[in-house]
Amino acid sequence: MAASRAIDWDTAQRIGELIAGSPPYGGPIGHSVQPLAHEFAGRVGEYTGLELPAELPPLEMIDRPAWIAANLLTMRPLLDPLLERLGGGPDADGEDSEADRTGETSGEKPEADDASASTTSDASTGTNGFAGLLSGPLRSASGSLRSASGHLLGAQLGAVTGMLSQRVLGQYDVSLLDASVPPRLLMLAPNLAAAARNLGIDRDELVAWVAIHEITHAVQFSGAPWLREHLGGMLRELLDGLQISGTSGSASEEDDGKNGGLDWLRDPGALLDRARSGELRELLDRARRGEALRLGLGDERWQIIERMQATMSLIEGHAEHTMDAVGAEFLPSLPRLRAAMTRRRESRGLPWRVLERLLGLELKMRQYEVGRRFYDAVVQAGGPEALAVTWRSPAELPSTQELAEPSLWLERVGVHA
């Protein structure tokens, strides 16, 4: 008998829409900013010193269900094969389902393998955009995949995307593993309208400001053509490690702590030994400090996450700095916009703070602030022309330490006032 798919994507979409809700679209929105998109891109390129894309993706004004569908479509060709390799796709006899053999599920045609960097203009959304968004479902799946149904996994993924869809304002969606997939510039019209109304700011200016942020991402990937492959390579390395650990059964003693081997948590005797040695207390302390993601991945794969986070901090911080610099020419109330956005990011309720902890989205929060401070310091030391130095090659990318101490990077690459 054929088994169900590892993830029921129809369930994911339905649960996502149920949680997301369907707020009013907000009336005509974005009409005034679309004609300005190319002007914004030109100004971003001029300010940052980066080459413009040959063709700028159109700004797509969408609602929450459409955003959920777009992100599930991005994750589907990545997660389905991965979870099947971890043991969730074939049935107990090792036979693929009819849908697997034909490559058709839910009436849709199979998509090419890809993953995306969902760079967003709200610190409450998932990363890198991919690191936070994928890590939670992957951890849940790898730990309980053999006993969980496709409906349950679909519901879990739908719940995450549904909640995230309530906060996202904009997203540059670029495929990391398949350069043939065109990038998209997505703007969530109902969220933009609601944010402007709740924050008491001009809606059209907010839309323009967010558009500049997302257009900056498009210019980054165009001006640094190696960036896609750089992030994609790290993502492949991370996923390869997840596949190995997911199919190897219990971790060996030598592997424990390096690649996320926590099988001893299910062994009462081993659990008691760890408690006596103090390791259990250390484990709980690390979890309370928000290091659950690191515990689940292990130290070796966590180093990959740290490199990805450093790069994403540059991507987001560069966009934050640029949207203010370029926005100052177009937006009379820019200081008020920045203050309102800061309040929005800091005023998240308890459910959002819990979700961020569980999925590692607090890492996304730090990307904006750390990256923006870094680029503020770079421009202060070397002027706007120094912005392009970080995008020349992977060798010029700052380390995590250099992000926190820009003077170290400035000295290393020879940027002076």
Side-chain angles (χ1 to χ4, degrees), residues 37-380:
H38 288 280
E39 184 177 355
F40 289 161
R43 187 63 189 93
V44 167
E46 179 184 346
Y47 179 74
T48 63
L50 296 175
E51 183 179 347
L52 299 181
E55 185 176 354
L56 187 70
L59 291 170
E60 302 179 45
M61 293 292 166
I62 61 174
D63 58 12
R64 291 176 183 176
W67 184 88
I68 293 170
N71 281 269
L72 291 179
L73 184 62
T74 295
M75 290 186 284
R76 180 171 181 165
L78 172 67
L79 291 184
D80 266 343
L82 174 60
L83 295 182
E84 286 171 6
R85 285 191 290 270
L86 291 176
D91 61 13
D93 296 326
E95 297 179 359
D96 291 343
S97 67
E98 182 65 24
D100 290 332
R101 290 193 295 270
T102 62
E104 296 177 359
T105 56
S106 304
E108 296 184 11
K109 295 181 179 179
E111 302 287 340
D113 261 359
D114 77 284
S116 76
S118 300
T119 53
T120 58
S121 56
D122 184 347
S124 298
T125 61
T127 85
N128 303 130
F130 52 86
L133 202 63
L134 296 182
S135 61
L138 281 175
R139 291 200 307 278
S140 298
S142 61
S144 59
L145 187 57
R146 296 184 185 278
S147 60
S149 69
H151 289 293
L152 178 58
L153 288 174
Q156 290 174 334
L157 191 58
V160 172
T161 54
M163 289 192 68
L164 293 177
S165 73
Q166 299 173 2
R167 296 283 296 186
V168 178
L169 300 180
Q171 175 179 323
Y172 179 64
D173 194 16
V174 57
S175 169
L176 294 179
L177 303 183
D178 187 352
S180 67
V181 177
R184 300 176 67 187
L185 285 169
L186 307 177
M187 306 280 285
L188 271 82
N191 293 3
L192 288 162
R197 182 173 60 253
N198 295 336
L199 296 173
I201 54 181
D202 184 87
R203 187 184 64 181
D204 289 341
E205 288 199 10
L206 176 63
V207 172
W209 196 45
V210 172
I212 294 171
H213 182 111
E214 304 309 329
I215 288 170
T216 299
H217 289 318
V219 175
Q220 290 166 346
F221 280 85
S222 172
W226 52 266
L227 181 58
R228 183 202 297 259
E229 181 56 35
H230 179 70
L231 283 169
M234 288 188 287
L235 180 59
R236 291 187 191 96
E237 187 179 355
L238 175 63
L239 294 178
D240 286 345
L242 289 173
Q243 293 165 21
I244 291 172
S245 66
T247 57
S248 61
S250 60
S252 66
E253 188 68 26
E254 292 78 10
D255 180 65
D256 191 16
K258 294 181 180 180
N259 293 313
L262 296 177
D263 288 349
W264 56 269
L265 286 172
R266 296 190 293 270
D267 183 343
L271 189 62
L272 183 59
D273 290 341
R274 303 273 176 146
R276 290 192 184 114
S277 68
E279 289 184 58
L280 186 58
R281 179 182 295 276
E282 180 183 357
L283 177 69
L284 294 175
D285 287 343
R286 291 176 67 185
R288 281 195 292 267
R289 293 196 299 267
E291 297 183 15
L293 176 58
R294 180 169 187 169
L295 289 171
L297 291 174
D299 288 340
E300 288 187 1
R301 287 193 295 278
W302 180 254
Q303 293 175 8
I304 303 173
I305 289 288
E306 285 189 324
R307 297 203 309 271
M308 293 173 70
Q309 288 294 334
T311 305
M312 292 303 297
S313 290
L314 283 179
I315 291 172
E316 295 295 356
H318 183 266
E320 287 283 288
H321 174 90
T322 302
M323 71 191 290
D324 284 353
V326 174
E329 302 179 15
F330 298 95
L331 310 174
S333 59
L334 178 61
R336 188 179 179 188
L337 285 172
R338 171 56 67 186
M341 185 62 71
T342 300
R343 290 197 309 272
R344 183 176 188 264
R345 290 172 178 170
E346 294 175 348
S347 61
R348 303 174 319 282
L350 179 60
W352 272 105
R353 293 198 297 270
V354 171
L355 180 67
E356 288 166 1
R357 284 278 176 162
L358 290 176
L359 298 185
L361 299 183
E362 72 274 10
L363 300 174
K364 181 75 172 178
M365 294 289 293
R366 292 198 291 269
Q367 287 174 6
Y368 290 89
E369 185 171 351
V370 171
R372 185 184 174 204
R373 283 204 309 262
F374 173 83
Y375 278 109
D376 287 347
V378 167
V379 171
Q380 183 177 9

